[in-house]
């Protein structure tokens, strides 16, 4: 990592936000942050820009529906990281509390309706931290990022570019388009106890998932 990737991390967080009108209006700023990033290879940068252009180009309702289909209807591509580690097990609660305390210890108080393990929130937190912590944290969850990214590749979704970029920032093994993908899960069975989440997402390109 050649520099502190603050704006890049915020741009990646924004790209994983619900593609509402606010996000779409911020896409030029997001693209500028991606173009200015010194920490990505050209192919990674091009993939992120292609995703931003796709969001801008699609009909708004279509973009929103595709986002929900990808990230809100199944555990395999959930943006809540502990879904991939603990599922609905009893260990998830303590892990969530530990992560929230980590934010509080840094002087950041989560706001809004998202859980502490929501990936865009984690990325906004990391945008306020030093390079060593960014790399270590992304490295610790690299196996989850890779699993989600490979599934998105399998679905031919441009959102895979975000996960590839995060693995690159972590200096971890990248995505593998040939990696085996498990059969689709039974969504009713795996998420029948899941509480409903609001669709409002944090505004892009500034750390607004937190209150100082």
């Amino acid at each position: 990592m050649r520099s502190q990737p603050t704006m890049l991390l915020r741009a990646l967080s924004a790209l994983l936000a619900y593609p509402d009108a606010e996000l779409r209006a911020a896409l030029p700023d997001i693209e500028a942050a991606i173009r200015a990033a010194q920490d990505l290879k050209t192919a990674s940068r091009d993939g992120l820009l292609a995703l931003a252009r796709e969001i801008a180009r699609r009909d708004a309702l279509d973009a929103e529906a595709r986002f929900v289909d990808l990230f809100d209807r199944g555990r395999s591509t959930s943006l809540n990281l502990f879904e991939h580690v603990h599922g609905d097990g009893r260990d998830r609660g303590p892990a969530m509390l530990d992560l929230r305390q980590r934010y509080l210890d840094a002087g950041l108080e989560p706001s809004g309706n998202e859980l502490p393990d929501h990936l865009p929130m984690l990325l906004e937190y990391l945008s306020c931290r030093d390079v060593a912590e960014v790399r270590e944290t992304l490295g610790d969850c690299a196996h989850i990022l890779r699993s989600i990214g490979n599934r998105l590749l399998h679905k031919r979704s441009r959102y895979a570019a975000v996960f590839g970029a995060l693995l690159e920032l972590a200096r971890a093994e990248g995505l593998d388009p040939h990696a085996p993908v498990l059969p689709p899960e039974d969504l009713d069975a795996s998420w029948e106890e899941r509480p409903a989440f609001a669709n409002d997402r944090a505004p892009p390109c500034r750390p607004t998932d937190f209150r100082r």
Side-chain angles (χ1 to χ4, degrees), residues 171-194:
R171 295 185 176 176
E173 179 185 349
L175 301 181
D176 180 2
H178 305 296
V181 175
L182 297 175
E185 59 195 328
D186 183 334
L187 302 186
D188 291 334
S190 64
W191 280 51
E192 60 185 359
E193 301 298 328
R194 183 181 178 86

Side-chain angles (χ1 to χ4, degrees), residues 11 18 33 35 56 102 112 114 129 137 142 166-167 172 179-180 190 192 199:
Y18 185 76
R35 289 193 181 95
R102 182 173 172 183
E114 298 296 357
R129 309 302 291 169
T137 302
L166 291 173
L167 291 170
S190 64
E192 60 185 359
N199 276 336

Side-chain angles (χ1 to χ4, degrees), residues 27-161:
L27 285 171
D29 292 334
I30 294 171
E31 290 188 31
I34 293 169
R35 289 193 181 95
Q38 302 176 10
D39 309 288
L40 294 177
K41 297 176 182 177
T42 300
S44 297
R45 189 180 297 110
D46 289 347
L48 294 171
L49 292 172
L51 169 60
R53 288 192 294 267
E54 180 179 89
I55 295 172
R57 185 176 64 248
R58 284 194 180 281
D59 173 78
L61 292 178
D62 182 45
E64 292 168 5
R66 285 174 178 267
F67 182 92
V68 170
D69 285 340
L70 281 175
F71 298 119
D72 292 342
R73 290 185 176 170
R75 181 171 293 157
S76 66
T77 52
S78 171
L79 295 178
N80 294 325
L81 297 180
F82 292 156
E83 287 277 359
H84 304 271
V85 180
H86 304 297
D88 296 321
R90 64 180 64 186
D91 291 335
R92 189 179 183 195
M96 204 82 71
L97 291 175
D98 287 346
L99 184 56
R100 185 174 188 275
Q101 189 60 49
R102 182 173 172 183
Y103 298 158
L104 295 176
D105 289 344
L108 301 169
E109 183 178 352
S111 62
N113 297 318
E114 298 296 357
L115 296 171
D117 64 335
H118 191 58
L119 180 56
M121 179 178 289
L122 177 63
L123 296 180
E124 288 200 13
Y125 161 76
L126 290 176
S127 76
C128 302
R129 309 302 291 169
D130 61 33
V131 172
E133 184 174 351
V134 171
R135 186 183 303 161
E136 180 180 7
T137 302
L138 293 178
D140 286 344
C141 60
H143 61 295
I144 302 173
L145 300 174
R146 189 177 302 109
S147 175
I148 299 172
N150 284 342
R151 284 186 173 275
L152 292 171
L153 282 179
H154 185 73
K155 295 174 181 288
R156 298 184 179 180
S157 169
R158 292 193 186 277
Y159 278 100

